[in-house]
Amino acid sequence: MEIREQDNCRVMFDPVLLAEDPWQSFEPDFWQQQQAVVGSARGRGTTWFVRGQQMEMALRHYYRGGLFGKLVKDQYRFSDWASCRSMAEFTLLQHLVAEGVRVPRPVAARVCKSGLFYRADLLTEKVPDATDLVDRLQQGPLSTAQWQAVGAMIRKMHDSQVNHTDLNAHNILLDREERIWLIDFDKCSLADGEHWKEANLSRLHRSFVKEVDKAGIHWQAADWQQLLAGYAG
């Protein structure tokens, strides 16, 4: 892992995964000039999918949500480099990869300070040919084995003591080989003990119930029991 600094900015990156200039790699214009933008997705902002020399990647700028986000859309209070949003998520993804949890590999993180505040960006591996569970379940139900695989991957994450505070059906992916991926670890963290794990599962259960009405997904109580069976091992 390498760390570079210039003009009140710090970049942390993996030189094995990123062959491009780490400073330019956070600029969408750079990728557009290389004709390397392969797609985008809209959320609070635009996530750009780009083709690097080593792999396809997802480039995300951090934006605030909620009412406060309408006033200060992308600035956060600076305390130290390690706790900045992109640096913290980068480090957490490194931990998960080392623990064998299937998550996008972190490629690079950038933080730029301005007075007491900072802005942040993150570059991660793009999961190839993947669909989130909501989209997948709109097409049809999952098999028993697939539900158990979802539960087993969540258990692996929990065994690594990572508290995913926004675990929902959109943050679980299936790729073309039917492998399970977990994504979106912004504001997540390592946590001691066991008490928070049930809260993660309860949040996920509520998201399935919600998406039955909202998106018409193919999901029923028996599917949840199969997920719990996979979680229990």
Side-chain angles (χ1 to χ4, degrees), residues 2-193:
E2 292 190 22
I3 295 177
R4 297 182 186 176
E5 295 185 14
Q6 71 176 36
D7 300 330
N8 290 320
C9 292
R10 174 177 286 195
V11 168
M12 178 166 59
F13 68 100
D14 186 336
V16 175
L17 302 181
L18 185 66
E20 290 77 16
D21 180 345
W23 294 107
Q24 295 191 76
S25 66
F26 293 101
E27 305 300 333
D29 286 349
F30 166 76
W31 297 105
Q32 290 171 342
Q33 290 166 9
Q34 307 299 313
Q35 297 184 330
V37 175
V38 297
S40 64
R42 293 286 298 177
R44 289 178 184 168
T46 299
T47 296
W48 297 97
F49 301 118
V50 300
R51 182 183 296 108
Q53 294 182 39
Q54 305 294 351
M55 65 175 70
E56 290 190 356
M57 298 171 288
L59 172 60
R60 173 163 55 94
H61 184 72
Y62 286 75
Y63 288 97
R64 286 185 175 276
L67 181 61
F68 192 65
K70 297 181 183 298
L71 303 174
V72 184
K73 67 176 185 176
D74 67 344
Q75 294 186 67
Y76 303 89
R77 183 85 175 189
F78 182 88
S79 57
D80 61 81
W81 293 107
S83 61
C84 292
R85 299 276 283 269
S86 58
M87 298 293 182
E89 188 169 353
F90 185 104
T91 303
L92 193 64
L93 287 172
Q94 279 187 313
H95 168 75
L96 287 162
V97 169
E99 291 291 316
V101 184
R102 192 172 290 114
V103 298
R105 288 175 291 175
V107 179
R110 179 177 70 173
V111 171
C112 289
K113 290 175 58 180
S114 178
L116 299 175
F117 299 92
Y118 73 90
R119 293 180 172 89
D121 305 271
L122 184 67
L123 195 61
T124 59
E125 173 184 20
K126 179 182 181 293
V127 181
D129 299 317
T131 304
D132 72 45
L133 278 189
V134 173
D135 287 344
R136 180 62 179 270
L137 290 170
Q138 285 177 320
Q139 300 169 22
L142 298 187
S143 68
T144 294
Q146 288 170 326
W147 279 117
Q148 292 182 357
V150 172
M153 189 57 65
I154 294 170
R155 176 61 181 269
K156 187 179 286 286
M157 176 185 71
H158 280 175
D159 286 348
S160 73
Q161 293 303 119
V162 170
N163 179 3
H164 196 313
T165 53
D166 190 24
L167 187 61
N168 63 65
H170 286 287
N171 289 336
I172 302 173
L173 308 183
L174 277 79
D175 68 16
R176 61 186 172 188
E177 297 179 15
E178 301 297 322
R179 297 177 300 180
I180 307 301
W181 296 73
L182 304 178
I183 64 169
D184 197 0
F185 286 87
D186 181 27
K187 296 188 290 186
C188 301
S189 63
L190 292 170
D192 295 328

